[in-house]
Amino acid sequence: MNLRWLGHSAFELISENGLNILIDPFIQANPACPLKINDVNPDVICITHGHADHFGDAIEIARNSDCVVISNYEISIYLQRHGINAIGINCGAYVTVDDVKIRMLDAKHSSSFDFEIGGGFAGNPGSFLFEFNDGFKVFHAGDTGLFSDMKFVIGEVYSPDVAILPIGNIFTMDPEEAAIAAGWINPKYVIPMHYNSFPSIRQEGQHFKRLVEKHAPDSEAYILNVLENKKF
Ligand code: NI
Ligand code: MN
């Protein structure tokens, strides 16, 4: 499995079979992402919640690449109205696409179409667990605060090998809460996201790394640069 950070919460995962999964496709307006929407060509887009910095360019990219979008039910209805092939699932459910099992799990946040005039309810926010053919599991937390099911559901039931966690503060966990979350989830590797894309969520990656050493001694933090690849 190959993982690439596109800045903010956008990640690309590529399975052994070559299935290209794009999570939270915030590309064009993402100050941290140097790519254009034509530079990505996913088979699957996964959207954690409705906010513009996660929903991003889902519609244009889905049209260009003719891919399927997996999101919560409310966002899937919205996408279907725009002619997109969308599968709506809810917390706890999974769908299998090619060689990857994609499960939606919980997040403590909000979800609205904040880019539309008047907003609008965009279902509940979620996170995703990706399970690959060899059993390797990657957890993408979406936007979230710390909550106890990170220990009891995500950690004990699903035990991901990699946890991608937001550390920016203001909209999500701060670095210390994220390090505590890492201790509860107890993955082999932790990757921080949702920081340094905007001035209000500026954080120091090395500071997070030290907090992970303190709160999650069995996990190793990888502080990625944007567009850096990590092979697992
Ligand atoms: Ni959000
Ligand atoms: Mn966000």
Short mmCIF file of all heavy atoms in Angstrom, two decimals, residues 8-9 48-54 109-112 114 125 142-144 171-172 194, ligand 1:
data_model
loop_
_atom_site.label_atom_id
_atom_site.label_comp_id
_atom_site.label_asym_id
_atom_site.label_seq_id
_atom_site.Cartn_x
_atom_site.Cartn_y
_atom_site.Cartn_z
N HIS A 8 -3.35 19.36 4.13
CA HIS A 8 -4.57 19.43 4.94
C HIS A 8 -5.04 18.00 5.27
O HIS A 8 -4.25 17.23 5.81
CB HIS A 8 -5.64 20.26 4.22
CG HIS A 8 -6.63 20.87 5.15
ND1 HIS A 8 -6.29 21.71 6.17
CD2 HIS A 8 -7.99 20.74 5.22
CE1 HIS A 8 -7.39 22.08 6.83
NE2 HIS A 8 -8.43 21.51 6.27
N SER A 9 -6.27 17.61 4.92
CA SER A 9 -6.72 16.24 5.23
C SER A 9 -6.78 15.36 3.99
O SER A 9 -7.33 14.25 4.04
CB SER A 9 -8.10 16.29 5.89
OG SER A 9 -8.03 16.99 7.11
N THR A 48 -15.16 12.62 4.45
CA THR A 48 -15.46 12.42 5.88
C THR A 48 -16.64 13.26 6.36
O THR A 48 -17.37 12.84 7.24
CB THR A 48 -14.24 12.75 6.77
OG1 THR A 48 -13.85 14.13 6.55
CG2 THR A 48 -13.05 11.84 6.46
N HIS A 49 -16.81 14.47 5.80
CA HIS A 49 -17.94 15.34 6.19
C HIS A 49 -18.08 16.46 5.18
O HIS A 49 -17.27 16.59 4.26
CB HIS A 49 -17.81 15.84 7.63
CG HIS A 49 -16.61 16.71 7.91
ND1 HIS A 49 -15.31 16.24 7.88
CD2 HIS A 49 -16.53 18.03 8.23
CE1 HIS A 49 -14.49 17.23 8.17
NE2 HIS A 49 -15.19 18.33 8.39
N GLY A 50 -19.14 17.29 5.35
CA GLY A 50 -19.52 18.22 4.31
C GLY A 50 -18.71 19.50 4.19
O GLY A 50 -18.84 20.22 3.20
N HIS A 51 -17.88 19.82 5.17
CA HIS A 51 -17.17 21.11 5.14
C HIS A 51 -16.29 21.24 3.89
O HIS A 51 -15.71 20.25 3.43
CB HIS A 51 -16.32 21.28 6.41
CG HIS A 51 -17.16 21.41 7.66
ND1 HIS A 51 -16.70 21.08 8.91
CD2 HIS A 51 -18.45 21.82 7.82
CE1 HIS A 51 -17.67 21.30 9.81
NE2 HIS A 51 -18.74 21.75 9.16
N ALA A 52 -16.20 22.48 3.43
CA ALA A 52 -15.53 22.75 2.14
C ALA A 52 -14.08 22.27 2.11
O ALA A 52 -13.59 21.89 1.04
CB ALA A 52 -15.58 24.25 1.86
N ASP A 53 -13.40 22.28 3.26
CA ASP A 53 -11.99 21.85 3.26
C ASP A 53 -11.84 20.32 3.26
O ASP A 53 -10.73 19.81 3.37
CB ASP A 53 -11.22 22.49 4.44
CG ASP A 53 -11.80 22.16 5.80
OD1 ASP A 53 -13.05 22.12 5.94
OD2 ASP A 53 -11.00 21.92 6.73
N HIS A 54 -12.99 19.62 3.11
CA HIS A 54 -12.98 18.14 3.02
C HIS A 54 -13.75 17.67 1.78
O HIS A 54 -13.28 16.84 1.03
CB HIS A 54 -13.56 17.52 4.31
CG HIS A 54 -12.76 17.92 5.49
ND1 HIS A 54 -11.79 17.12 6.04
CD2 HIS A 54 -12.73 19.09 6.20
CE1 HIS A 54 -11.19 17.78 7.03
NE2 HIS A 54 -11.75 18.97 7.16
N HIS A 109 -17.49 16.03 15.67
CA HIS A 109 -17.29 17.26 14.90
C HIS A 109 -18.66 17.73 14.45
O HIS A 109 -19.69 17.35 15.04
CB HIS A 109 -16.35 16.92 13.72
CG HIS A 109 -15.82 18.08 12.96
ND1 HIS A 109 -15.00 19.02 13.51
CD2 HIS A 109 -15.97 18.45 11.65
CE1 HIS A 109 -14.68 19.92 12.58
NE2 HIS A 109 -15.26 19.60 11.45
N SER A 110 -18.76 18.53 13.41
CA SER A 110 -20.04 18.91 12.81
C SER A 110 -19.92 18.64 11.31
O SER A 110 -18.84 18.31 10.82
CB SER A 110 -20.35 20.38 13.08
OG SER A 110 -19.33 21.20 12.56
N SER A 111 -21.03 18.77 10.59
CA SER A 111 -20.99 18.52 9.14
C SER A 111 -22.10 19.32 8.49
O SER A 111 -23.27 19.13 8.80
CB SER A 111 -21.17 17.02 8.87
OG SER A 111 -21.16 16.76 7.49
N SER A 112 -21.72 20.24 7.62
CA SER A 112 -22.72 21.01 6.87
C SER A 112 -22.12 21.35 5.51
O SER A 112 -20.90 21.27 5.34
CB SER A 112 -23.06 22.30 7.62
OG SER A 112 -21.91 23.11 7.74
N ASP A 114 -21.11 24.00 4.13
CA ASP A 114 -20.81 25.39 4.50
C ASP A 114 -20.47 26.26 3.30
O ASP A 114 -20.42 27.47 3.40
CB ASP A 114 -19.68 25.43 5.55
CG ASP A 114 -18.39 24.75 5.10
OD1 ASP A 114 -18.38 24.13 4.02
OD2 ASP A 114 -17.39 24.86 5.83
N PRO A 125 -20.55 13.79 10.88
CA PRO A 125 -19.17 13.64 10.45
C PRO A 125 -18.68 12.23 10.73
O PRO A 125 -19.17 11.57 11.66
CB PRO A 125 -18.43 14.66 11.32
CG PRO A 125 -19.26 14.74 12.56
CD PRO A 125 -20.68 14.57 12.12
N GLY A 142 -10.64 12.01 9.95
CA GLY A 142 -11.46 13.15 9.57
C GLY A 142 -11.17 14.31 10.51
O GLY A 142 -10.07 14.44 11.05
N ASP A 143 -12.14 15.18 10.71
CA ASP A 143 -12.03 16.24 11.73
C ASP A 143 -12.68 15.71 12.99
O ASP A 143 -13.84 15.24 12.96
CB ASP A 143 -12.81 17.50 11.30
CG ASP A 143 -12.03 18.38 10.35
OD1 ASP A 143 -10.87 18.06 10.03
OD2 ASP A 143 -12.60 19.42 9.93
N THR A 144 -11.99 15.78 14.11
CA THR A 144 -12.58 15.24 15.33
C THR A 144 -11.90 15.79 16.58
O THR A 144 -10.76 16.25 16.54
CB THR A 144 -12.50 13.69 15.35
OG1 THR A 144 -13.25 13.19 16.46
CG2 THR A 144 -11.07 13.19 15.42
N PHE A 171 -10.35 23.79 15.01
CA PHE A 171 -11.46 23.02 14.44
C PHE A 171 -11.43 21.56 14.89
O PHE A 171 -12.39 20.81 14.67
CB PHE A 171 -11.42 23.06 12.91
CG PHE A 171 -11.34 24.45 12.35
CD1 PHE A 171 -10.18 24.92 11.76
CD2 PHE A 171 -12.43 25.31 12.43
CE1 PHE A 171 -10.09 26.20 11.25
CE2 PHE A 171 -12.36 26.60 11.92
CZ PHE A 171 -11.18 27.05 11.34
N THR A 172 -10.31 21.13 15.43
CA THR A 172 -10.11 19.71 15.76
C THR A 172 -9.27 19.59 17.04
O THR A 172 -8.96 20.59 17.67
CB THR A 172 -9.31 18.98 14.65
OG1 THR A 172 -7.97 19.50 14.66
CG2 THR A 172 -9.93 19.17 13.27
N HIS A 194 -4.25 18.13 8.94
CA HIS A 194 -5.11 19.27 9.29
C HIS A 194 -4.34 20.30 10.12
O HIS A 194 -4.80 20.75 11.17
CB HIS A 194 -6.37 18.79 10.03
CG HIS A 194 -7.59 19.66 9.81
ND1 HIS A 194 -7.85 20.77 10.58
CD2 HIS A 194 -8.62 19.58 8.94
CE1 HIS A 194 -8.99 21.32 10.18
NE2 HIS A 194 -9.47 20.63 9.17
NI NI B 1 -14.67 20.21 9.43
#
